[in-house]
Amino acid sequence: VPYDERAFNAKTVDVVNAELASIAKKLEKHGLKTGYHNHTPEFANFKGTTFWDYIGDNTPENVVLQLDVGWTAVAGKDPAAYIRKYPGRSNTLHFKAGLPAGVTDKVSLIGQDIVDWKSVITAAREVGGTEWFVVEQEVYPDNMKPLEAVNVSMKGLQKIISEMK
């Protein structure tokens, strides 16, 4: 599920959780999974935690929590900590640079942003159950064309990975 306003609404988040659980059960017998993809609002405070945590804690472990690293960073949260908090549930991750409000000395390109990418990659490898890193770009610094910005982010990711070997 790429976005659902009910997931960050106190009155409707339980409906989303129930639907995810029901769909997961139906898909499991076919070897398929369903999941939820975050944006910044899922990290708003809810019941002493966040909506993202509430979804993670109240859906079965076979529901994928597709963490969008960029939106997680924009919300001021640690993406690697979230991967570790829900082991085996990050089958796919959206690798995107994101900057919280007020950050002016960084750029929304992988390797030029605020994310500790090595920690994210390590968490994905160690506990995430991650099969795919999906490089995504929604911001185009310095009037870059979309594919130029994706290419720069991809090269930044490749450099980070090469430094980890």
Side-chain angles (χ1 to χ4, degrees), residues 118 125 158-165:
K118 289 180 182 178
R125 287 176 172 169
Q158 289 168 333
K159 181 178 186 285
I160 292 163
I161 291 171
S162 73
E163 292 170 355
M164 294 178 69
K165 294 180 180 178

Side-chain angles (χ1 to χ4, degrees), residues 9 15 29 67 78 104 108 116 133-134 139 145 147 149:
N9 180 314
V15 173
K29 61 186 169 193
L67 194 72
D78 178 356
T104 58
S108 290
D116 180 350
F133 297 161
V134 180
V139 176
K145 293 183 176 162
L147 289 179

Side-chain angles (χ1 to χ4, degrees), residues 38-44 69-77 99-100:
N38 72 282
H39 291 80
T40 305
E42 286 85 359
F43 291 103
V69 173
W71 288 123
T72 306
V74 168
K77 304 295 183 183
L99 303 176

Side-chain angles (χ1 to χ4, degrees), residues 127-159:
V127 300
T130 309
E131 298 176 35
W132 291 90
F133 297 161
V134 180
V135 176
E136 179 181 25
Q137 193 74 38
E138 293 180 357
V139 176
Y140 313 107
D142 300 322
N143 295 317
M144 291 178 139
K145 293 183 176 162
L147 289 179
E148 288 177 295
V150 170
N151 187 43
V152 171
S153 279
M154 184 65 188
K155 286 181 179 175
L157 177 59
Q158 289 168 333
K159 181 178 186 285

